[in-house]
Amino acid sequence: MDHPIELACIIDDDKIYVNLVKKIIEIKKLSQNLIIFKNGKEALDYFKAILENVSEERLPDIIFLDLNMPVMDGWEFLSEFVKIKNTFNKKITLYVVSSSIDPRDLERAKSFNMVTDYLIKPIELKRFEKIFEREVA
Amino acid sequence: MLNDLQLNSILEDFDVAYWKINLLTKEISWSEHFNYLIGNPDTGTNKLDFFLNNILHKDYRYDFREYFENLTDHYKPFTTEIRLKLENGKYRWFECRNLKSREKGLADAAVLLFVNIHQAKRDQYTIEENFFYYRETAEMTSTGGWYLDVTTNAVYWDNVTKKILDCPMDYEPHPEDKMRFYANEHHEKVERMFKKCSKFGIPFKVEIKMRTLHNREFWVRATGKPVYNNEQEVIGIRGVYQDIDEQKTNELNLQNSLDIIASQNSRLFNFAHIVSHQLRSHSSNLSLIAQLLREARTAEDKLDLLLNVNDISENLEDAINELNEVVTRQNNLKKERQLVKFKAALDVVIASTSSLIKRENAEIIAEFDKLNEINYISEYLESILLNLITNAIKYKFQGRKPIIYIQTYKENGESFLEISDNGMGIDLDEHGDKMFGMYKTFHRHPEANGIGLFITKNQVEAMGGSISVTSTVNIGTTFKIKF
């Protein structure tokens, strides 16, 4: 991987999962940088601050969003994120990653245009790598 | 005097036909109209035989012959109702009677009149039939009629009303025990609806509980409509009572079953939720670790990953404990209500949380003097108090001594419990709608597990009450439970 993704982002409250994904990204060198948020609100506040004070270039290239989180869950994050989406041009790929196998969750996630795909935990290493490769290509 | 022609035409207009009988020769002549009615048949020589065999319904043959012979032989007058076959082949009702001759000397002839009474007869049958259906329906559906004279307060009941109220048939209701036949809890309602009907003519249709002579209470559908006099004043109320006890009991049972099914369904839903969101997330982490282990190159990496397995097993155990908590709590539903003292329930809760209260130096003030007990399940009341009190302490305002104020009271006949704190509060605009949902935590607090308020709401609602919340961030929160 000569040109890994510059910045990946994980929004998830499961510490163990986050640590494991972090490890994968480090070992496989899938992304140069990684930022992690414990819930939707932390992520949203950060993105808003970046857009206001820095530059949209500093937004992540790819986001992995969990659904079931305290304070602001994945659904609320998505509906808030839709509102600020028009204020910048950078292309951000967003994956919903959840342990829920409820088909209603899957349907609902796909109803958001910005959601590229719905990944069911556990994510497969091969699939995960492919997602990053596709982003770079 | 009218001549025969005029008389004939009048009789025809009234659909009256007649026979003239010569009492000496027994010769019979039929009026034109009579001939017309039966279709001008060829009668042969014996008109009486032809009539008996072809025109008269066979049920009346014997009687008619008797009458006829009594008339011709003994001048005995008669009146009878018979059925005749008309020219269209159908039988119609006629009244047959002879005209009395006033002058005895002229009694050599008799006149038999045939008056069409078919419509009247049919109406009579319809009325009898309707009455029959009405009575059968009333009996079958246990529907009794009643009338209240609003000027004298006199009450009239029909037999079915007496029957459904266990009263003997000769029982006469007295105006002064008008209320005696209604269950106590519905007296107010009954007074109101009778007043509205007698004063303003507003009809009613209600389901109420009545009480029989033997004090058995049962459900009735009661309707009442005003009866007006010519001046358009309400002079009475007329209506029916329908015994719907069986239906009502079934309905209540059905509602009960529905409630139980609904609560079991929601338990199943929660079960699925926990399995999906909690158990699955741990198992998926395990599987992720397995994948990484396969790829890990150094012993150090592998050891590092194995440490995670330990964390996962702990989390998994917590999740299973929560699951167990939800299941055991639901089993309490089968318990009976009993009078529970608020003070006793609070003492149990304070004893079990004494270490938390002491650690946080929390103060609990309770005022139960306005309402000191409630018909409830004690475990529920304790669990509700426990959840709300521990919440209040857990989410205290940092640096402020937690104070919890608990009071009970009655308002408009309803019982209330309020628990207020001076804690960190919740932004209800943001979180209000999902406040009581499962696994909803609003504070970045390590002890928030998102299950307490969900269980509290479930318990309050399982007992037929409701819970609401008001809160101001940094000031405090008040939970209000209506029992």
Side-chain angles (χ1 to χ4, degrees):
Chain A
M1 204 85 49
D2 296 330
H3 305 287
I5 283 171
E6 222 167 278
L7 181 61
C9 166
I10 299 173
I11 309 173
D12 201 310
D13 66 324
D14 182 344
K15 280 186 211 137
I16 294 172
Y17 162 83
V18 169
N19 276 338
L20 292 172
V21 172
K22 200 165 134 190
K23 209 159 272 174
I24 296 168
I25 290 173
E26 276 168 12
I27 292 169
K28 307 261 179 186
K29 300 193 172 58
L30 297 176
S31 172
Q32 288 173 11
N33 291 297
L34 177 67
I35 37 173
I36 293 156
F37 302 104
K38 284 201 295 292
N39 62 59
K41 192 165 189 324
E42 281 186 7
L44 197 73
D45 289 348
Y46 178 82
F47 293 161
K48 279 181 181 166
I50 288 284
L51 283 169
E52 247 175 64
N53 306 319
V54 197
S55 128
E56 63 175 62
E57 286 311 309
R58 302 285 298 276
L59 289 174
D61 304 282
I62 186 165
I63 297 174
F64 296 96
L65 174 70
D66 186 22
L67 288 180
N68 202 40
M69 292 177 287
V71 184
M72 181 188 274
D73 65 23
W75 301 121
E76 289 164 310
F77 173 81
L78 280 173
S79 46
E80 289 299 318
F81 195 57
V82 169
K83 293 181 197 161
I84 60 166
K85 186 97 200 331
N86 290 330
T87 62
F88 59 83
N89 297 314
K90 181 164 181 169
K91 184 183 164 288
I92 298 179
T93 313
L94 192 149
Y95 286 88
V96 168
V97 189
S98 170
S99 58
S100 166
I101 47 173
D102 189 334
R104 283 169 299 185
D105 285 342
L106 209 141
E107 278 305 304
R108 192 171 164 196
K110 293 207 162 152
S111 72
F112 288 89
N113 276 335
M114 69 181 99
V115 174
T116 304
D117 205 352
Y118 184 104
L119 307 176
I120 293 172
K121 289 181 188 173
I123 51 169
E124 278 172 64
L125 285 183
K126 293 244 157 57
R127 177 96 199 269
F128 203 57
E129 282 178 65
K130 279 221 175 83
I131 286 169
F132 278 85
E133 277 168 27
R134 194 164 35 188
E135 269 309 299
V136 174
Chain B
M1 268 297 264
L2 297 167
N3 63 33
D4 273 9
L5 213 66
Q6 286 169 318
L7 191 66
N8 264 344
S9 97
I10 289 170
L11 289 174
E12 260 174 53
D13 281 350
F14 283 92
D15 205 4
V16 179
Y18 64 91
W19 295 5
K20 243 186 196 164
I21 308 149
N22 186 323
L23 292 175
L24 300 172
T25 62
K26 308 274 185 270
E27 199 190 321
I28 303 168
S29 61
W30 290 351
S31 74
E32 217 175 291
H33 189 53
F34 188 83
N35 265 315
Y36 165 76
L37 282 178
I38 59 174
N40 297 309
D42 181 8
T43 61
T45 47
N46 193 332
K47 278 202 158 69
L48 183 63
D49 279 354
F50 179 84
F51 174 77
L52 291 174
N53 293 327
N54 300 299
I55 307 299
L56 185 66
H57 192 277
K58 63 179 179 1
D59 288 357
Y60 307 94
R61 262 176 219 163
Y62 179 83
D63 288 345
F64 187 84
R65 189 187 283 277
E66 283 256 312
Y67 285 132
F68 190 81
E69 283 172 0
N70 272 328
L71 175 75
T72 52
D73 298 350
H74 311 292
Y75 313 112
K76 211 170 152 190
F78 74 94
T79 303
T80 185
E81 287 175 3
I82 53 174
R83 288 162 74 194
L84 304 183
K85 191 154 118 189
L86 301 191
E87 46 91 26
N88 61 5
K90 286 181 179 162
Y91 283 97
R92 289 285 180 267
W93 281 99
F94 282 84
E95 185 185 75
C96 172
R97 67 158 178 258
N98 66 301
L99 271 185
K100 278 185 205 155
S101 310
R102 266 173 253 151
E103 294 158 72
K104 279 230 162 135
L106 291 174
D108 57 345
V111 173
L112 264 189
L113 289 180
F114 292 84
V115 183
N116 189 335
I117 55 164
H118 196 77
Q119 192 55 46
K121 200 77 183 170
R122 248 204 8 210
D123 290 349
Q124 181 193 338
Y125 270 136
T126 313
I127 289 166
E128 272 171 24
E129 209 174 343
N130 282 348
F131 186 73
F132 169 81
Y133 286 133
Y134 151 73
R135 209 182 43 213
E136 286 291 303
T137 310
E139 290 270 348
M140 204 163 159
T141 59
S142 299
T143 306
W146 56 268
Y147 178 77
L148 169 74
D149 183 327
V150 297
T151 48
T152 61
N153 259 341
V155 180
Y156 306 96
W157 288 349
D158 75 356
N159 287 344
V160 183
T161 295
K162 287 176 187 173
K163 199 169 146 195
I164 63 179
L165 289 171
D166 287 346
C167 294
M169 285 305 134
D170 56 1
Y171 185 88
E172 291 301 331
H174 306 295
E176 57 270 19
D177 57 26
K178 194 169 118 193
M179 278 297 143
R180 188 234 165 277
F181 289 94
Y182 296 99
N184 288 333
E185 70 248 46
H186 286 157
H187 278 185
E188 236 176 90
K189 189 174 174 182
V190 171
E191 293 266 24
R192 218 167 35 233
M193 69 196 195
F194 270 102
K195 203 167 137 192
K196 258 163 59 181
C197 193
S198 58
K199 269 196 155 172
F200 311 112
I202 298 169
F204 55 82
K205 184 174 180 182
V206 289
E207 286 180 9
I208 45 166
K209 248 177 159 177
M210 290 190 80
R211 190 166 52 171
T212 69
L213 193 64
H214 307 314
N215 293 321
R216 177 179 58 88
E217 293 195 344
F218 68 113
W219 280 97
V220 164
R221 181 174 297 129
T223 65
K225 284 178 183 159
V227 178
Y228 293 98
N229 64 7
N230 287 336
E231 279 74 49
Q232 296 307 309
E233 297 158 341
V234 178
I235 50 164
I237 303 173
R238 190 164 41 201
V240 296
Y241 296 132
Q242 187 185 2
D243 182 347
I244 53 162
D245 203 47
E246 209 175 316
Q247 292 104 295
K248 193 75 187 178
T249 313
N250 285 343
E251 184 191 317
L252 292 177
N253 284 343
L254 198 63
Q255 189 57 49
N256 261 343
S257 318
L258 265 180
D259 290 347
I260 291 169
I261 289 168
S263 84
Q264 279 172 345
N265 199 29
S266 95
R267 200 194 323 170
L268 271 178
F269 182 79
N270 297 330
F271 188 84
H273 184 102
I274 296 170
V275 172
S276 174
H277 283 87
Q278 298 296 103
L279 300 187
R280 260 195 60 84
S281 66
H282 303 306
S283 74
S284 73
N285 279 341
L286 271 178
S287 123
L288 198 54
I289 286 175
Q291 290 183 56
L292 282 171
L293 272 175
R294 238 175 279 133
E295 301 221 348
R297 294 195 189 97
T298 66
E300 203 182 335
D301 280 351
K302 282 185 179 168
L303 202 65
D304 204 24
L305 285 168
L306 281 175
L307 281 177
N308 281 317
V309 176
N310 196 33
D311 292 339
I312 292 171
S313 90
E314 273 174 23
N315 290 349
L316 199 54
E317 198 181 321
D318 286 346
I320 287 168
N321 281 341
E322 275 178 16
L323 186 62
N324 194 33
E325 195 177 356
V326 171
V327 172
T328 45
R329 253 164 232 271
Q330 298 283 353
N331 283 341
N332 281 340
L333 258 180
K334 291 177 196 104
K335 291 205 168 170
E336 291 275 317
R337 283 170 189 256
Q338 59 192 38
L339 276 183
V340 189
K341 295 231 182 303
F342 284 108
K343 174 85 169 60
L346 182 63
D347 285 347
V348 171
V349 172
I350 289 177
S352 68
T353 50
S354 58
S355 62
L356 177 70
I357 293 173
K358 209 178 256 173
R359 193 183 76 203
E360 301 292 344
N361 190 26
E363 188 181 345
I364 298 177
I365 306 154
E367 279 179 13
F368 299 135
D369 48 327
K370 287 190 195 105
L371 177 71
N372 65 8
E373 57 185 11
I374 184 99
N375 197 19
Y376 221 66
I377 294 173
S378 57
E379 285 86 350
Y380 273 23
L381 189 61
E382 287 161 16
S383 159
I384 291 164
L385 285 169
L386 178 74
N387 269 329
L388 294 180
I389 288 172
T390 49
N391 260 352
I393 299 175
K394 253 199 246 173
Y395 307 122
K396 66 173 187 173
F397 187 86
Q398 281 309 324
R400 195 187 289 160
K401 172 188 159 82
I403 296 177
I404 301 160
Y405 179 76
I406 307 173
Q407 62 168 340
T408 53
Y409 57 92
K410 290 203 99 157
E411 202 176 85
N412 298 330
E414 309 268 19
S415 305
F416 290 92
L417 166 71
E418 270 186 31
I419 298 188
S420 309
D421 66 49
N422 61 347
M424 60 201 275
I426 309 160
D427 183 349
L428 289 174
D429 286 340
E430 204 172 321
H431 303 297
D433 54 328
K434 48 185 184 171
M435 182 90 206
F436 298 101
M438 201 176 206
Y439 297 115
K440 299 294 179 194
T441 46
F442 309 105
H443 311 95
R444 284 156 235 234
H445 197 285
E447 279 178 74
N449 66 10
I451 198 161
L453 283 180
F454 171 79
I455 286 172
T456 299
K457 181 176 155 72
N458 256 10
Q459 289 169 330
V460 171
E461 288 179 354
M463 302 296 288
S466 60
I467 182 167
S468 59
V469 60
T470 49
S471 185
T472 312
V473 173
N474 297 340
I475 299 293
T477 304
T478 296
F479 286 94
K480 184 170 173 177
I481 291 166
K482 191 179 107 184
F483 289 106

